[in-house]
Amino acid sequence: MSIRIGTCGGKFQRVKLGSWAACIGLTQHLGPSFNYCGLVSKIQTQPRSNNTNSTLIESKFQDHDIFESIRSSLNLPSSTHEVKDLSRADIGQAVAIYGYLGERTDLSKNFLFAPVISKELDHRIQIVSSAKQTSGAENPAHQRLKSIGAGSPVVVCGILKGRTPAKGDFAAAGSVEIILEEIHCLNQFPKDIIVTADTRFPPEERHLQLRTDRKLLDALRFRAKVASICRDELATNHGFLEVETPLLFKSTPEGAREFLVPTRRKGLMYALPQSPQQYKQILMAGGVPRYYQIARCFRDEDLRADRQPEFTQLDLEMSFARADDVMKCVEVLIKRLWETLLQVEPLPQEFRRMSYQKAMSMYGSDKPDIRLGMEIFDVSYLLPVDLVSKVTSDLDSICEVLKIHISDDPTETRKFVNRFMDSAESATFQKNPEGAPGVFVVDSREPLQGLQSFGFEAAENIEDILGLEDGDLVVLQARKRSPHTGGSTLLGKLRLALHNQAITEGYLKRPEGFEFLWVVDFPLFSPTNSSDPGQGGAAGISSTHHPFTSPKAAADIDLLLTDPLAVRGDHYDLVVNGIELGGGSRRIHDSRLQEFVLRDVLQMSPSRLKEFSHLLEILRAGCPPHAGIALGFDRLIAVMLGRDSVRDVIAFPKSGKGEDLLVKSPSFVSKEALETYHLQLRD
């Protein structure tokens, strides 16, 4: 082997690399800065006794065979086939394949089998190796194979041979195998990493999780298919234009905490976008009729199973559009995804719609799983005062009930209730400042079927409303008499907790299928709270979603002046099985209304208002009406695959603390780096 190297004079000289000595000579020729393949760890120049310099090479590798193996890895034969295609190749053909070596089976010291697993880790083929070639000569490839550890990437050359797989064959190789003629190890898998069928690697070794957990790689492949279908459906069938928007944005108070990016210009910072919201509105003003992108977004939020500090969303916007136009477009896309990839059909022609207030009243959640049933009913008008006083100190409270059928045997239901009430999970419900829940078990052997606390008339009415049977669990809960705010009520949370516990204990089956629902008519504004930064206005209210959402109707415009908390926003969330897939809205397209909302309703300070001056100017330039939506792409994949956490469908997810445990980010930076960006740490 030889290479051409340049000299200081601009000429090239051919140097032969045939030995360890040649490598040393090449190092001397190129000088102390040369590092051959990263193997020469240190080069020092020291004076000899005769005042001449000599080059001393210190290498962590004492055996020069390492150079030979690396040289061989640089001159590999091209593969002739993929592993998955070998069953269709001609028997007797010489083949070369790449893949990972599996655990070999030594039938004797002179004969063995070993699988080679495809590059994609989804197919395998058996290779057969013997110490002697068919000619009777020694087969050097046999010994090389025995020296290579399972998990190592290899290139295998040999002759394709037909075979009849045995029942339960470990290699699952199909109808062919390879008679080994040559094998090269491309990088030895270390012996200190033990891999068995039961091995579970921690997040700090995400690369090994990906290599050994088939579900993770399958999820990434599935994710790529979903992205491809989304692009095809939106661009080809609906005329959307894919546009990439900047990641270095500016800090604006949209509702979530931002990640800031300092610059070398003192006091100036970028902000990573919470979403491409403002840029896509700019595109609408710029004459782009339909925009979409699979966008990266960043929010410095408290994390949970379905949240990450950086996440992906399918973002789209349509000019001259209403909420209905966006919802219909998304329904077509969702139906294609479900029918194509999950073979679920037919989905409803139109997804069901439900107002926010109704969802909160019927299910105690703004993203209800309507498969469960267990509807909530207001029975305040039925209850005697003495019963109300037992569940709440506020006699003007709304009192609601629901039922869940645990068992046909009331005794079993009582045991279930006692276990739940004794669990740590019940503490939140029992310490509710508006009153602990009242729990009743329907038992036909008892007076008024166990509902004697309700009194005769109320018990009879509640039995009719709920359709009670023996073994039903009835839950009574009080809440403050006021319009719904937030994402759930305490009874809504208790509804889910009881249902999940009943599934865990085997009383109920896990619900199946997919039930889609549009939740609409959200309140445009909500009271501010300590956990949400809001928009920083002085009015004591903040935008429920973001400050660019349009009021729903003309009547809502009038309420902006008199009762902002009663204003409905033209906002819509897509929910499936109790999980919010995404949300969107019709936007404010008139700069005068947008400025009024920011300045007069939210009561932003002049300095805060100035942060939106660019948007107001853009809307002023004849921006058309527009509407859009953002679907949580990570969550969409998790729902389709039935995964509990989005971390299971992301290649490199962050931990619950927002850390990448593999690469150790975030990390501390040096004092010099901080000074470059005019930053200093405070105690």
Side-chain angles (χ1 to χ4, degrees):
M1 175 183 176
S2 63
I3 63 170
R4 297 174 72 221
I5 59 173
T7 64
C8 295
K11 298 180 180 180
F12 285 88
Q13 179 178 348
R14 185 171 295 278
V15 178
K16 187 173 182 180
L17 301 180
S19 66
W20 170 251
C23 294
I24 295 176
L26 179 63
T27 303
Q28 291 175 329
H29 182 85
L30 293 179
S33 64
F34 176 68
N35 187 325
Y36 181 73
C37 296
L39 298 177
V40 179
S41 60
K42 187 177 181 183
I43 299 176
Q44 296 178 331
T45 302
Q46 295 181 349
R48 288 184 180 178
S49 59
N50 59 1
N51 296 325
T52 61
N53 291 336
S54 65
T55 303
L56 301 178
I57 300 178
E58 294 180 8
S59 172
K60 60 184 175 181
F61 300 102
Q62 299 303 315
D63 189 346
H64 72 275
D65 286 346
I66 187 68
F67 288 97
E68 188 64 37
S69 67
I70 289 185
R71 279 201 296 272
S72 67
S73 72
L74 300 178
N75 294 280
L76 301 175
S78 299
S79 63
T80 60
H81 296 80
E82 298 294 335
V83 172
K84 63 183 172 129
D85 299 326
L86 285 172
S87 61
R88 299 190 296 271
D90 295 333
I91 300 299
Q93 181 180 0
V95 297
I97 59 169
Y98 291 120
Y100 298 95
L101 188 66
E103 290 284 352
R104 72 175 191 270
T105 300
D106 295 331
L107 300 184
S108 70
K109 70 176 183 178
N110 295 323
F111 193 74
L112 63 84
F113 298 118
V116 172
I117 303 159
S118 67
K119 296 178 290 186
E120 298 79 13
L121 303 177
D122 57 356
H123 291 81
R124 57 175 55 193
I125 188 169
Q126 178 174 278
I127 58 175
V128 180
S129 177
S130 60
K132 299 285 186 180
Q133 299 178 2
T134 53
S135 62
E138 294 291 331
N139 183 6
H142 183 73
Q143 290 303 321
R144 275 199 293 274
L145 171 58
K146 295 177 74 172
S147 70
I148 301 172
S152 301
V154 294
V155 56
V156 172
C157 303
I159 304 299
L160 200 64
K161 178 187 174 184
R163 69 186 292 268
T164 301
K167 185 176 181 181
D169 194 331
F170 80 97
S175 59
V176 293
E177 61 190 11
I178 295 175
I179 305 302
L180 181 68
E181 291 191 338
E182 190 57 81
I183 185 168
H184 296 280
C185 179
L186 306 180
N187 195 2
Q188 188 76 252
F189 192 82
K191 294 181 180 179
D192 60 302
I193 301 178
I194 308 300
V195 181
T196 69
D198 299 323
T199 303
R200 295 295 179 267
F201 291 100
E204 290 83 355
E205 297 176 303
R206 183 64 171 180
H207 58 299
L208 295 175
Q209 286 183 341
L210 291 168
R211 174 85 78 88
T212 58
D213 189 341
R214 174 70 178 271
K215 287 184 177 180
L216 286 176
L217 282 182
D218 285 346
L220 296 183
R221 294 189 182 103
F222 185 87
R223 182 186 179 107
K225 291 178 182 177
V226 172
S228 178
I229 289 175
C230 288
R231 286 190 166 98
D232 180 65
E233 182 65 31
L234 293 174
T236 305
N237 297 342
H238 296 276
F240 281 80
L241 179 66
E242 185 172 11
V243 180
E244 296 178 0
T245 55
L247 290 181
L248 293 177
F249 187 45
K250 64 178 290 186
S251 178
T252 58
E254 295 182 24
R257 280 183 288 269
E258 301 166 313
F259 287 102
L260 300 178
V261 182
T263 73
R264 287 176 292 169
R265 298 171 64 188
K266 190 172 184 179
L268 295 182
M269 292 193 182
Y270 297 106
L272 299 180
Q274 302 173 34
S275 75
Q277 180 60 47
Q278 293 188 53
Y279 277 119
K280 64 181 179 180
Q281 290 191 250
I282 294 170
L283 289 172
M284 297 299 101
V288 175
R290 294 189 169 197
Y291 138 93
Y292 86 98
Q293 71 170 315
I294 297 177
R296 298 293 286 165
C297 306
F298 308 85
R299 294 179 187 174
D300 188 9
E301 296 181 311
D302 295 331
L303 304 180
R304 56 177 188 247
D306 60 345
R307 278 188 179 174
Q308 289 276 288
E310 56 177 323
F311 57 95
T312 306
Q313 65 184 35
L314 176 61
D315 196 55
L316 61 92
E317 198 81 7
M318 304 164 64
S319 65
F320 299 97
R322 304 164 303 159
D324 279 351
D325 300 316
V326 175
M327 287 190 274
K328 289 176 181 177
C329 179
V330 170
E331 287 175 3
V332 171
L333 173 61
I334 291 295
K335 283 187 277 191
R336 179 174 172 187
L337 288 173
W338 255 250
E339 292 169 4
T340 302
L341 297 178
L342 302 183
Q343 289 75 53
V344 174
E345 55 179 326
L347 292 177
Q349 187 67 28
E350 292 185 356
F351 295 165
R352 182 179 172 186
R353 300 186 188 185
M354 181 181 295
S355 73
Y356 165 81
Q357 293 293 339
K358 185 175 181 180
M360 292 288 286
S361 296
M362 287 182 65
Y363 301 105
S365 173
D366 65 352
K367 46 181 181 291
D369 188 345
I370 57 180
R371 299 174 303 168
L372 310 185
M374 299 171 60
E375 294 181 6
I376 297 170
F377 296 90
D378 182 355
V379 293
S380 306
Y381 63 98
L382 292 174
L383 302 184
V385 175
D386 60 333
L387 177 57
V388 174
S389 64
K390 291 178 182 178
V391 295
T392 179
S393 58
D394 182 2
L395 298 183
D396 191 42
S397 296
I398 294 174
C399 292
E400 299 171 320
V401 295
L402 63 77
K403 77 158 187 181
I404 174 173
H405 186 74
I406 300 299
S407 169
D408 293 337
D409 182 358
T411 303
E412 273 299 313
T413 302
R414 287 191 187 91
K415 292 178 181 178
F416 168 81
V417 171
N418 291 335
R419 284 193 298 271
F420 180 81
M421 287 303 183
D422 290 339
S423 69
E425 190 173 6
S426 72
T428 301
F429 307 108
Q430 297 192 57
K431 294 177 181 178
N432 177 18
E434 295 179 5
V439 179
F440 308 88
V441 175
V442 177
D443 188 343
S444 59
R445 297 168 298 185
E446 295 189 358
L448 296 180
Q449 298 195 81
L451 303 181
Q452 55 268 39
S453 297
F454 287 83
F456 179 80
E457 185 177 357
E460 191 175 59
N461 284 322
I462 287 175
E463 182 181 352
D464 290 340
I465 291 170
L466 298 179
L468 297 178
E469 299 175 348
D470 264 3
D472 282 347
L473 174 61
V474 177
V475 181
L476 174 67
Q477 179 70 64
R479 66 175 177 86
K480 186 177 179 180
R481 187 176 294 278
S482 62
H484 290 291
T485 60
S488 61
T489 65
L490 208 66
L491 184 55
K493 293 178 180 178
L494 181 55
R495 169 180 177 265
L496 293 178
L498 289 169
H499 189 271
N500 290 336
Q501 188 64 32
I503 291 174
T504 301
E505 296 190 18
Y507 290 105
L508 296 178
K509 292 182 179 179
R510 191 173 299 277
E512 297 180 346
F514 298 94
E515 288 289 343
F516 290 91
L517 175 71
W518 287 108
V519 179
V520 299
D521 298 350
F522 284 82
L524 191 58
F525 305 103
S526 302
T528 54
N529 60 72
S530 58
S531 64
D532 226 339
Q535 291 77 44
I541 61 175
S542 60
S543 297
T544 302
H545 294 94
H546 57 60
F548 318 120
T549 300
S550 173
K552 174 86 172 185
D556 295 295
I557 297 288
D558 297 333
L559 288 171
L560 285 173
L561 295 169
T562 58
D563 191 1
L565 289 176
V567 177
R568 296 172 303 157
D570 201 356
H571 182 98
Y572 34 87
D573 278 358
L574 180 59
V575 176
V576 59
N577 299 354
I579 298 170
E580 179 193 333
L581 285 183
S585 66
R586 183 165 56 85
R587 324 299 186 185
I588 297 173
H589 71 281
D590 189 299
S591 63
R592 296 168 298 178
L593 178 57
Q594 184 67 78
E595 184 172 5
F596 178 81
V597 167
L598 298 174
R599 183 189 62 223
D600 299 295
V601 179
L602 296 174
Q603 297 180 22
M604 286 187 178
S605 65
S607 60
R608 284 258 169 163
L609 188 61
K610 188 177 180 181
E611 294 172 356
F612 292 102
S613 59
H614 62 282
L615 181 63
L616 296 175
E617 185 60 27
I618 289 158
L619 298 180
R620 190 177 71 87
C623 182
H626 53 284
I629 195 170
L631 298 177
F633 194 73
D634 307 312
R635 201 172 305 164
L636 173 67
I637 306 302
V639 168
M640 295 184 74
L641 291 177
R643 307 292 168 84
D644 293 330
S645 171
V646 295
R647 295 189 185 101
D648 297 330
V649 299
I650 299 173
F652 302 105
K654 298 294 190 289
S655 72
K657 295 182 179 180
E659 299 170 331
D660 186 325
L661 298 175
L662 173 62
V663 304
K664 308 297 187 293
S665 71
S667 60
F668 291 102
V669 297
S670 67
K671 182 180 179 182
E672 292 75 19
L674 290 172
E675 290 174 349
T676 299
Y677 295 100
H678 310 285
L679 300 173
Q680 72 179 67
L681 301 178
R682 293 195 311 181
D683 294 331

